Amino acid sequence: MMKKLLSVALLWLVTLSAGAQQKLMVTYVAKNAVRVRYSDPKVKPELPDWLYVKHEELKKADVTATVRGNVVTVKDKAGKNVFCATTHQLKEGEATLTFESPKDEFLFGLGQFQDGYSNVRGLSRRLTQVNTQISIPMLISSKGYGVLWNNYGLTEFNPCKQSVKLIKRAGAGEREEVNVTSTEGGKKEVRERHIFEATIDVKEAGDYALLLDVGQKMARRHNLLIDGKPVIEMQNLWLPPTASKIVTLSKGSHKLLAELTKDDKPVLYYNKVKDETTFRSPVAEAVDYTVFIGTPDEIIATYRELTGECPLMPDWALGYIHCRERFHSSDEILQTANRFRSEQLPISMIVQDWQYWGKYGWNSMRFDEEFYPDPKALTDSLHKMDIRLMVSVWSKIDKNSEVGKQMVAGGHYIPGTDWIDFFNPDAAAAYWKNFSERLVPLGIDAWWQDATEPENDDLEGRRVNAGKWAGEQVRNVYPLLVNKTVYEGLVAAGKEPMILTRCGFAGIQRYGSALWSGDVGNDWETFRRQITAGLGIQAAGIPWWTYDAGGFFRPQNQYTDSAYIERMLRWIETAVYLPLMRVHGYMSNTEPWNYGKEAQNIIAQCLKERYRLMPYIKRCAKEVSEKGGTLMRPLVFDFTNDVEALKQKYEYMFGPALLISPVTEPGASSWRTYLPQNSGGWTDYHTGKHYDGGQYVTTPVTKAYIPVFIRAGYTIY
């Protein structure tokens, strides 16, 4: 190893050994950011740079990076060591980065995951794109740095070295029939549960990271017991293929048992938690990452400076967005819009979900005139009521449709699928040409780009861009290119883009895209996990996000089930304080009047509260666009030095002024909230009572509201 540090103006280049091909290069890319790349300089990058929009190399920065051997250290402006990478390894196309992570560190980000974790230090995750999971390889540390891992493929976060296959017990399992969504529409599916078992021997007691992989593209259940004690439990009609957990294990033998579905092939990966964090990508050209130094706001602002600033979200998108699966005709939409107005329920946008194309085939970019005789007249009528229309559009097109036949003739599909190959510029252009000619003239205001993963991680084992690249190379970046195509087309057409998409990647904020958490259930645990999922998206630099308030999959007796209605109201009450407020539900008429007068009155209060806050929300939205701000704020953004605040999983700031404390349990008449340390304390938003910061307080709640506190020194009106 060379011990001498070579400093050449804006970069260091260090050869690790006399015969080594890989070299380590550090470049100042912003005043508080450095990009590190460990690669063979003779090998030119094969893939385009889809991630960064700014490529300046600064001669002077406020941070200092030093390289000694294989170790990269980054110091802040005061000369304090903030980040230290100890391993850069590129072996047979697999890239590994490891950096120090002390025990008292908190790490936030990585995107939207369903494991219920906010602090991901020590956790093992597999970053892939599937329904309900959005992988964005960006982290923020409570120690004053952020890391963006520059790889478009599958990434293992804190990969585990040990694993065991769970073996299925002999015999028949328990069967059930369920209604599910698919890329062909709604369908019934028979599922059969089975017991899987294994044993592991732990050589050393301590905290262990677990990653349960069910062995399929999507899971139906995550379940694991260790020595008879529940460790992992999550059920939904769709779940990601992996689930993560940190547990404390004693030395010795431990029995594993999992109740999963018939065709699962479960493997449990496990590793003792260490004082380090690792990113590993099995398909890579380089170890490539960017380190940001500063406060969380400074980190996110620079991240956006490098990967693209957010366009200003239209004011009308900040109000209430009403959605259901689904409206069946123009008449249904107009009747619903008129009733919202007659009931004096505020609404800004109404949404047409899938299958409006009817007889013309999946996503044929055409309304079936039997049920939608004049789509332009529909949008005109809504606009007269000051209501916008959002329409679902997919990246999948029926090959037998008129548009599909064009796409087949042009070779614009990813081989073996019905997904358009947006990696191919000609395919993207053909998609937009049809989109712009068939849909844009109808006066539609917003675009719901559904299933943009593409659904169920469908790039694995395929080739894209006329066979030029393996799907594994670009496995996580497909949603970025879908949104790029639509956004740039709308801007060129002189339209104000508003896009809702089910998946994303680093940089998607520059396309004006909002994300949501996909086809989730409705139970209390699912509700809690959407909050941590949303906070993970925010810490990864993506500001516009929401969920299906009330849950997408709902009980059949939802309109009369008091237990469900209580849950639904808590989802909606929290949604008032999300970046976007939106209700949705599968096989549901989600209108407030369908759930009884009491529920309707409470929902009406929620909607009116959203609009009372609109001046404040608009100011915050402007901060997002102009200063790289964040509206839904993990507590690390404002209270980095308050350890108790960093431990809170479900509390967050809505803008700089409001502390939100969602009620996440049934039957609550009071709720315990941690008030972070804050000079001047806090004021209860509902009662006006003042509290000092740095303490837990218990306040009364009713069915109609959740605890909200105003931070001293800030105003909202």
Side-chain angles (χ1 to χ4, degrees), residues 62 90 131 156 176 184 287 327 332 366 392 404 441-442 466 483 498 502 537 545 558 600 608 633-634 669 673-674 699:
D62 292 338
L90 185 62
N131 189 351
E156 300 282 2
E176 63 177 342
E184 289 78 38
V287 178
F327 290 107
E332 272 192 6
R366 182 173 181 179
S392 171
L442 301 179
N483 283 262
M498 194 279 159
R502 201 173 74 183
I537 281 278
W545 178 87
Q558 61 177 298
Q600 179 178 340
K608 291 172 183 176
R633 302 170 64 81
S669 58
T673 301
Y674 178 73
T699 55

Side-chain angles (χ1 to χ4, degrees), residues 663-683:
V663 174
T664 59
E665 299 285 351
S669 58
S670 63
W671 197 250
R672 189 168 183 253
T673 301
Y674 178 73
L675 300 179
Q677 298 169 13
N678 181 57
S679 177
W682 300 84
T683 299

Side-chain angles (χ1 to χ4, degrees), residues 614-634:
M614 195 59 73
Y616 173 73
I617 295 171
K618 289 179 182 178
R619 291 200 304 271
C620 292
K622 190 175 181 181
E623 291 280 318
V624 168
S625 180
E626 295 182 357
K627 297 183 179 180
T630 299
L631 179 51
M632 183 185 183
R633 302 170 64 81

